[in-house]
Amino acid sequence: MTIQWFPGHMAKARREVSEKLKFVDIVFELIDARLPLSSRNPMLDQIVQQKPRLILLNKSDLADINQTNQWLNYFRDQGHQVLALTAKDDKSVKQIVPASKKVLAEKIARDKDRGVKPRAIRAMVLGIPNVGKSTLLNHLAGKKIASTGNRPGVTKGQQWLRFGTQLELLDTPGILWPKFEDPAVGKKLALTGAIKDDLLHLDDLALYQLEIFCRYYPEQLKDRYKLTNEDLFLDFPELLMLISEKRGFRDDYERASEMLILELRQGKLGRYTLDRFEELSE
């Protein structure tokens, strides 16, 4: 299963981002804590270049805690300032401004020495679709100022948003890249909702989901669908059929596939991380 999605507004957004970088002090790169590598746009380094950057691992409340801690250390070892947060959580969101000041410490000191009057930090928010950008913006503002939705492609244009006296943000649409070199990246993005479902084969996606959970989170799969240890040794199509029967769907495997994926996205299978740190070398 090959998954690609690069609608026209994304190509336009990429051009606009490049043009407007000169107006910001720092880039907030928002990625999905369940997909710390797969949800990073490989074009971003080329677009952002040497602009200071703060990496935000959003949706950390949905991710495997042990995996998240290892990925945080990985990014820090790469020389990045990075935070794990939940866009709806006050405590984690309040870390953003202090972390930004740490990234910009040299610039702030330089401006102070030159007698430049302090002003709000100007940041650009970048990330793939459905990674939580609009949710973060709304939470910072304490009201709905950006459209949200658990589907990709909600934010279509760019807008400046001011948060108190310390931060101004330029929101941007989610930007994917034209081609996924690794088919597994497309599957992972699809599972977490970064790609529109009408572009997918849900049964193939559900089988991939079962493969991941049988390997890394078997107890969560057993608890949710009342499975035995022996059931987990079935071929994945047979396991999907068994779950379909247990849910009363009989031979409606498409409906069972849709249910599996929906419950994964709703957090009913518990915390999980699809990008495994131990597989980084692969």
Side-chain angles (χ1 to χ4, degrees):
M1 177 176 63
T2 302
I3 301 170
Q4 302 294 338
W5 187 47
F6 193 68
H9 80 268
M10 290 188 184
K12 180 182 177 182
R14 185 177 65 177
R15 292 193 300 270
E16 291 179 349
V17 164
S18 298
E19 293 168 359
K20 295 188 176 181
L21 269 174
K22 60 186 176 183
F23 299 120
V24 303
D25 305 310
I26 187 172
V27 169
F28 293 162
E29 181 185 358
L30 203 59
I31 61 180
D32 191 323
R34 300 166 297 177
L35 306 168
L37 287 186
S38 297
S39 63
R40 297 192 77 194
N41 190 329
M43 299 189 311
L44 206 60
D45 288 341
Q46 178 184 355
I47 295 171
V48 174
Q49 298 183 12
Q50 300 303 312
K51 183 69 67 174
R53 189 185 316 187
L54 173 63
I55 297 177
L56 304 174
L57 272 67
N58 191 29
K59 304 188 181 183
S60 60
D61 58 320
L62 304 177
D64 182 325
I65 296 174
N66 292 330
Q67 286 287 315
T68 298
N69 287 335
Q70 292 182 81
W71 283 114
L72 287 171
N73 289 332
Y74 166 77
F75 286 120
R76 288 167 183 151
D77 289 343
Q78 298 293 312
H80 293 293
Q81 182 73 16
V82 58
L83 294 175
L85 57 82
T86 302
K88 297 178 181 179
D89 177 65
D90 281 325
K91 185 177 180 180
S92 59
V93 168
K94 285 179 179 177
Q95 300 176 75
I96 293 176
V97 170
S100 300
K101 290 181 178 180
K102 187 173 182 179
V103 175
L104 296 171
E106 289 186 11
K107 178 185 181 301
I108 292 171
R110 191 164 58 247
D111 287 347
K112 184 178 180 180
D113 290 342
R114 292 165 51 200
V116 177
K117 185 178 179 181
R119 60 164 174 78
I121 294 171
R122 293 172 183 160
M124 178 183 290
V125 185
L126 294 177
I128 68 169
N130 202 34
V131 79
K133 296 185 300 299
S134 296
T135 301
L136 175 62
L137 294 170
N138 290 339
H139 191 78
L140 281 167
K143 59 183 179 179
K144 185 173 182 179
I145 55 175
S147 298
T148 63
N150 190 24
R151 64 187 190 280
V154 171
T155 305
K156 289 296 196 297
Q158 297 177 337
Q159 53 183 329
W160 279 102
L161 306 168
R162 188 175 180 87
F163 306 100
T165 60
Q166 298 192 78
L167 187 63
E168 293 178 357
L169 292 180
L170 179 62
D171 186 24
T172 60
I175 307 174
L176 281 173
W177 53 104
K179 182 178 180 181
F180 304 139
E181 299 295 338
D182 182 355
V185 170
K187 292 179 181 179
K188 292 173 182 178
L189 292 171
L191 268 180
T192 53
I195 298 172
K196 288 184 176 179
D197 285 344
D198 56 11
L199 300 175
L200 313 174
H201 299 294
L202 294 185
D203 52 347
D204 288 342
L205 206 55
L207 294 177
Y208 180 70
Q209 176 181 332
L210 289 175
E211 178 184 351
I212 293 290
F213 271 75
C214 282
R215 182 181 302 178
Y216 299 113
Y217 305 106
E219 294 303 318
Q220 293 170 208
L221 198 63
K222 284 164 55 181
D223 290 345
R224 182 65 189 170
Y225 300 114
K226 312 303 180 188
L227 302 173
T228 66
N229 288 328
E230 291 74 19
D231 292 336
L232 299 184
F233 288 97
L234 293 171
D235 291 338
F236 300 123
E238 292 178 343
L239 183 55
L240 178 59
M241 285 189 281
L242 176 61
I243 293 173
S244 179
E245 292 170 3
K246 285 179 173 289
R247 284 299 177 96
F249 298 155
R250 296 190 179 183
D251 296 334
D252 193 346
Y253 308 129
E254 185 171 346
R255 185 180 173 194
S257 299
E258 186 176 351
M259 177 271 298
L260 271 172
I261 296 167
L262 179 62
E263 293 196 348
L264 176 79
R265 293 175 182 172
Q266 292 175 337
K268 293 181 179 179
L269 275 78
R271 290 172 173 261
Y272 65 94
T273 295
L274 299 180
D275 283 344
R276 309 295 301 180
F277 180 79
E278 61 269 24
E279 296 175 359
L280 180 61
S281 60
E282 299 177 15

